[in-house]
Amino acid sequence: EAGVTVDICTYGACITRLSVPDKDGKCEDIVLGCNDAAEYESHSSYFGGIVGRVANRIRDGKFTLGGNSYQLAQNNGGNALHGGERGFNKRHWKCTEVGSGVRLELVSDDGDQGYPGAVEVSATYTLVGSTLRLEMKGHATKATPLNLAQHSYFNLAGHASGQSVLAHEVKLYSSTYTPLKEHLPTGEVAAVANTPYDFTSSRAIGPQIQALGAILGVTATYDDVQCLISIPEKQEAVGENKFLGFDDNFVIDGPPNAHGLAKVALVSEPSSSRTLLVESDAPGVQFYTGNFLGATPGKGGAMYERHGGVFLETQHFP
């Protein structure tokens, strides 16, 4: 009725298409993705899938639980990322139709990617009007970490628009975030006030990345006509500078509504007037601005450049 449609794939429990009308009623697919299951299998960007057992990074792929130490598959610079070398986004899920949607189910065996216990997980997608709902559940045979997350990249101008998301305006319902060192939390929870991380009121992404560069010693310049961030070539080659952008966990302020969900983020795209409201019962959200994209092949012949998508991955903290 709202003109919104969604396609879900059993490979990775993945959102492969989300078509949403603009202010004039023209529908565009607003999620980045691949053409088929074979491409999703070989792709490294986690487009649209359910990641787990544990979303985000675990330092050195190690943890201790119940007096036992565990070594996980290390698939990200010595750390464990999004469940390991073959996380849940790289599995075929069983699918059953339910009212207004589908339920996908998966079994992860004891020892899978180094994690203890067998786990049965389900992801139920329903679409009613313009509200896409995802409910994820898990049951384990023994104590084990479980932190499922949905990993869709959004571009509200359309995934094939050729536009970056730097003109997208973002409001995060978060007054604190967890600072990182080498992509991992330091353990600190810091206020966003008076920093580039302050999205407590709606702000365009591009100028905030420019401000982020300033505090990191990177001369980043935002072009609000072409919606691009440029960095001098001599800085481009230094460390992580060429990947400048946000990839950070923000703490959700709450409180939850009558359905147990708190507002997480409100994203809008000026030219189309499309908006995205995210609500969740998770305590945090990873706000990522597509920093590692760049000449990345996508579905339908699209090419995703740096900052070509944004994701808002609700989660427990990394």
Side-chain angles (χ1 to χ4, degrees):
E1 293 177 0
V4 177
T5 58
V6 64
D7 290 352
I8 309 294
C9 179
T10 55
Y11 187 80
C14 182
I15 297 175
T16 59
R17 184 181 65 90
L18 180 58
S19 182
V20 178
D22 66 7
K23 60 187 177 183
D24 299 317
K26 181 182 178 182
C27 287
E28 294 285 356
D29 181 1
I30 63 167
V31 292
L32 280 58
C34 302
N35 288 306
D36 52 39
E39 289 188 11
Y40 278 104
E41 187 169 10
S42 62
H43 215 283
S44 61
S45 294
Y46 303 92
F47 286 149
I50 301 290
V51 293
R53 290 186 191 187
V54 175
N56 221 308
R57 295 172 177 86
I58 297 177
R59 187 184 301 275
D60 300 325
K62 296 179 180 180
F63 70 91
T64 301
L65 182 63
N68 297 311
S69 297
Y70 296 92
Q71 177 65 64
L72 307 175
Q74 295 165 290
N75 62 320
N76 182 253
N79 303 311
L81 175 66
H82 293 330
E85 295 172 347
R86 191 166 178 263
F88 292 175
N89 66 299
K90 297 291 186 183
R91 312 288 178 90
H92 288 279
W93 296 54
K94 177 184 175 182
C95 182
T96 306
E97 291 189 18
V98 297
S100 302
V102 292
R103 180 173 64 249
L104 298 111
E105 298 170 295
L106 177 74
V107 176
S108 174
D109 295 331
D110 187 4
D112 184 11
Q113 306 298 299
Y115 287 96
V119 177
E120 297 178 357
V121 295
S122 66
T124 302
Y125 291 97
T126 55
L127 178 63
V128 178
S130 61
T131 299
L132 178 63
R133 180 182 175 90
L134 170 60
E135 183 176 12
M136 297 181 287
K137 295 181 178 181
H139 174 76
T141 58
K142 64 173 70 170
T144 188
L146 188 62
N147 181 27
L148 306 178
Q150 218 295 330
H151 205 281
S152 284
Y153 292 69
F154 297 94
N155 186 320
L156 300 188
H159 87 98
S161 65
Q163 299 180 34
S164 75
V165 297
L166 298 177
H168 284 40
E169 296 178 355
V170 176
K171 175 181 172 68
L172 298 178
Y173 294 84
S174 169
S175 55
T176 54
Y177 75 109
T178 54
L180 303 177
K181 183 178 182 180
E182 298 178 348
H183 299 295
L184 290 158
T186 62
E188 179 188 6
V189 176
V192 302
N194 301 312
T195 77
Y197 298 92
D198 189 353
F199 286 88
T200 52
S201 59
S202 185
R203 301 178 188 273
I205 294 173
Q208 295 299 101
I209 292 180
Q210 179 175 299
L212 180 64
I215 67 171
L216 296 176
V218 180
T219 309
T221 303
Y222 173 55
D223 183 332
D224 61 2
V225 176
Q226 298 187 55
C227 295
L228 296 173
I229 290 281
S230 61
I231 302 172
E233 185 176 352
K234 65 180 180 180
Q235 294 188 8
E236 188 83 21
V238 178
E240 296 292 327
N241 290 354
K242 67 179 180 178
F243 303 126
L244 183 65
F246 293 96
D247 189 8
D248 300 271
N249 175 68
F250 288 76
V251 181
I252 305 307
D253 288 338
N257 60 21
H259 302 288
L261 303 176
K263 289 183 178 179
V264 173
L266 180 65
V267 185
S268 61
E269 197 281 311
S271 64
S272 67
S273 295
R274 292 187 182 94
T275 61
L276 171 68
L277 173 65
V278 180
E279 298 179 328
S280 179
D281 62 355
V285 59
Q286 190 80 7
F287 174 53
Y288 173 63
T289 51
N291 319 326
F292 293 93
L293 297 175
T296 304
K299 57 189 174 183
M303 191 68 70
Y304 305 137
E305 300 298 341
R306 189 185 308 171
H307 305 132
V310 59
F311 73 59
L312 295 147
E313 181 185 85
T314 56
Q315 62 181 6
H316 291 273
F317 302 167

